[in-house]
Amino acid sequence: MNKFLISFFSIVIFSCGVAFASYSGSISSSTITCSVTLSSPTIPAISISHVPLTSVTTNYAVINGTVTSANVNIDNIYIFYYQDGTSVSSNTISVGGSTSTYVFSSTCPVNISLSSVNFYYRIYAVASTTNAYSPSGGGYYTVPIAGPKIIHSQIQRISPVNRVVVATGTVSDSVGLWYVTMSHWTDSYSTPTVSTITIPNSFKLYNFQFATSARSDANIFYYYLKTVSTSSDTIQTSIYTVPISSSITQGIASTGGTITLYNGDQTKGNTSLVVPQGALSALTNITIEELSPTDTSVPYRENIKPLSAFKFTPEGLRFDKNVTLNIYYPNVNWTDAQKNNLKIMWWDGFDWRVVGGTVNIQTNIVTAYITHFSLYGIFSAPSLSDDDYRPKEKIITPNQDGINDIATFGGLSGDDSVNIFDVRGRKVRKISDTNIWDGKDDSGSFVESGVYVYQIKANGKTISGVIAVAK
């Protein structure tokens, strides 16, 4: 019996030995008395000694420090770093568990030609099962990148119609700025033209604007920017390549999206189409093509050509919801009141029909809602007649065959609306968020065949007429 108890006690001691520091006890024929003193396991301590950088002035940053581990040797030291506009990179220093104290030095590349304002980094050290960060908590040190900076978004496209080029941006330097230049050339003439802006009063921050034009025989425009500080520090962008093209094609899915045809003038807006979710039932390749207003394919309206013209394809495409159309018009020497008379119109194959729209004279953009594709242009329309608001369709056949399914009202914008009544005077449909009637009532059902009266409320007046529905 005593041998069994002694063996059992030994097994207990052996299996528990890692959990306590000492024990004492006595054994009798029937009793085991055991006293156990427990101790807490020792957790290795690791620390990073580092003086943070205060600035970066060259193409690299050198990060120094010391890692100390109290109880176990150091495995690895990692330096994570990035700068504005870039992703995180890392350097790894392999210590390999050979020492408990390690003095490290790591060189991280810095691209000072970028427009980055700051360089960011942190230090991470690992020893066995413990680790340490500097700064503590896993954040990043923020270090200003000294020297001049250029902030500029590349010009995306130049219009072959007006060939205007306007580049904008910001240059800065902590000491002061001397000048900024734009050098540009084309595929048809390779000798650079250099434009220079001397910055007054050694400003430390300056918003620049360069205006020029692309040669008439060019298809590609090249340029780069450079700025020099008062201490002769220089920074230069990479060479930008800009196509001189008339169109853009992009797929838009049923989830919606935006397609933009840039115009080359960064002080103005761009022609674009904003398609909401549900406006298309499937992925559709959409093309915006800029046409010269003087081209023979662009019709006159009362002996006047549009200020700008854009063709949207697939031709005749219809949307299930309103889409937002923004059309750019070139600079014109008009008063603000004259510019506010601009209207978007669409070509129905026989006539220009008024869409309307809201004018932004600062960005040279007219905005309106549309429901189908066609040729669209911008005209001056100081006043609209009643017929400009009325639909051209006298009879519609809403059988969803894509032919004469809808009536299109013109010139509607803002709070303008259309009410549809049957011959008994009952209102069957109110139209306030679009310019078409698809032959449906307010519940979404097709109305019966017959004659219907429309009442347009626009620009402070009421205009009435009739439409026949034949099914």
Side-chain angles (χ1 to χ4, degrees):
M1 183 68 176
N2 289 342
K3 289 181 179 180
F4 172 78
L5 290 173
I6 292 171
S7 297
F8 177 78
F9 185 60
S10 298
I11 293 172
V12 172
I13 293 173
F14 178 78
S15 63
C16 299
V18 296
F20 56 82
S22 61
Y23 69 92
S24 61
S26 60
I27 304 173
S28 67
S29 60
S30 59
T31 305
I32 299 176
T33 302
C34 179
S35 175
V36 179
T37 302
L38 296 177
S39 62
S40 299
T42 300
I43 301 174
I46 185 172
S47 62
I48 301 172
S49 175
H50 168 68
V51 178
L53 301 179
T54 56
S55 67
V56 176
T57 59
T58 61
N59 288 315
Y60 55 88
V62 179
I63 300 170
N64 301 316
T66 303
V67 177
T68 302
S69 176
N71 298 288
V72 294
N73 287 341
I74 302 161
D75 295 321
N76 293 301
I77 302 169
Y78 304 92
I79 312 295
F80 297 95
Y81 62 93
Y82 69 98
Q83 60 193 89
D84 298 316
T86 67
S87 57
V88 177
S89 299
S90 64
N91 292 344
T92 301
I93 302 170
S94 179
V95 182
S98 60
T99 180
S100 61
T101 300
Y102 191 86
V103 178
F104 67 88
S105 180
S106 180
T107 300
C108 304
V110 178
N111 189 347
I112 61 173
S113 67
L114 297 178
S115 59
S116 304
V117 175
N118 293 312
F119 174 79
Y120 308 89
Y121 74 96
R122 71 178 178 184
I123 306 164
Y124 176 55
V126 178
S128 186
T129 59
T130 188
N131 56 63
Y133 284 96
S134 180
S136 60
Y140 279 83
Y141 292 108
T142 300
V143 186
I145 300 174
K149 306 288 183 301
I150 300 175
I151 298 176
H152 167 71
S153 296
Q154 179 185 344
I155 297 171
Q156 298 297 313
R157 165 197 173 261
I158 295 171
S159 165
V161 175
N162 57 48
R163 296 184 173 264
V164 170
V165 179
V166 181
T168 62
T170 302
V171 290
S172 63
D173 185 77
S174 59
V175 177
L177 295 161
W178 184 5
Y179 63 86
V180 58
T181 66
M182 176 179 177
S183 301
H184 60 89
W185 62 98
T186 67
D187 58 335
S188 62
Y189 189 75
S190 59
T191 301
T193 298
V194 181
S195 301
T196 301
I197 299 174
T198 300
I199 299 172
N201 303 317
S202 300
F203 286 153
K204 296 180 180 180
L205 183 71
Y206 186 81
N207 297 319
F208 66 83
Q209 177 179 313
F210 289 101
T212 185
S213 61
R215 290 172 57 96
S216 60
D217 59 350
N219 295 308
I220 302 175
F221 183 88
Y222 303 95
Y223 75 101
Y224 67 85
L225 301 164
K226 182 176 74 172
T227 190
V228 179
S229 71
T230 53
S231 56
S232 297
D233 291 330
T234 301
I235 186 173
Q236 178 179 305
T237 68
S238 58
I239 296 174
Y240 299 116
T241 302
V242 187
I244 302 171
S245 59
S246 61
S247 65
I248 184 173
T249 299
Q250 178 182 316
I252 302 291
S254 59
T255 53
T258 299
I259 177 172
T260 301
L261 185 65
Y262 293 90
N263 71 73
D265 183 348
Q266 294 190 317
T267 66
K268 303 299 180 182
N270 302 291
T271 297
S272 65
L273 190 77
V274 182
V275 182
Q277 183 175 359
L280 292 169
S281 59
L283 178 65
T284 304
N285 286 327
I286 290 175
T287 298
I288 305 176
E289 180 184 5
E290 182 180 16
L291 303 179
S292 172
T294 61
D295 193 275
T296 55
S297 64
V298 179
Y300 286 89
R301 178 181 183 265
E302 299 175 355
N303 298 319
I304 297 175
K305 286 278 193 170
L307 285 178
S308 59
F310 295 85
K311 185 177 181 181
F312 294 79
T313 53
E315 189 172 356
L317 175 68
R318 294 198 175 276
F319 296 94
D320 296 329
K321 292 182 179 180
N322 286 341
V323 300
T324 302
L325 174 62
N326 301 296
I327 292 188
Y328 166 81
Y329 63 89
N331 289 324
V332 288
N333 189 23
W334 292 356
T335 65
D336 289 352
Q338 290 173 317
K339 294 176 183 177
N340 280 320
N341 289 327
L342 294 175
K343 301 286 189 297
I344 294 178
M345 300 189 184
W346 66 280
W347 179 250
D348 68 359
F350 302 96
D351 293 304
W352 285 103
R353 298 173 63 173
V354 178
V355 177
T358 302
V359 182
N360 186 322
I361 61 176
Q362 279 74 42
T363 60
N364 288 25
I365 293 293
V366 184
T367 301
Y369 293 116
I370 63 170
T371 56
H372 72 286
F373 274 172
S374 181
L375 171 62
Y376 287 85
I378 293 183
F379 290 88
S380 176
S383 60
L384 298 178
S385 67
D386 289 357
D387 285 342
D388 287 326
Y389 290 97
R390 290 190 172 102
K392 303 293 184 182
E393 299 83 9
K394 305 301 181 185
I395 302 174
I396 61 173
T397 56
N399 55 10
Q400 297 181 301
D401 63 355
I403 302 173
N404 205 41
D405 283 336
I406 62 173
T408 303
F409 297 88
L412 301 180
S413 62
D415 296 329
D416 298 343
S417 63
V418 179
N419 289 315
I420 308 293
F421 302 88
D422 63 18
V423 291
R424 298 180 181 179
R426 295 178 299 185
K427 185 169 70 174
V428 297
R429 179 75 179 272
K430 180 178 181 179
I431 301 169
S432 58
D433 57 352
T434 184
N435 65 337
I436 67 168
W437 184 42
D438 55 5
K440 294 181 180 180
D441 58 22
D442 282 330
S443 68
S445 300
F446 285 106
V447 299
E448 296 298 327
S449 297
V451 176
Y452 292 83
V453 177
Y454 62 80
Q455 187 180 78
I456 305 168
K457 292 186 177 181
N459 199 26
K461 57 183 179 180
T462 301
I463 303 164
S464 301
V466 296
I467 299 176
V469 176
K471 296 168 61 179

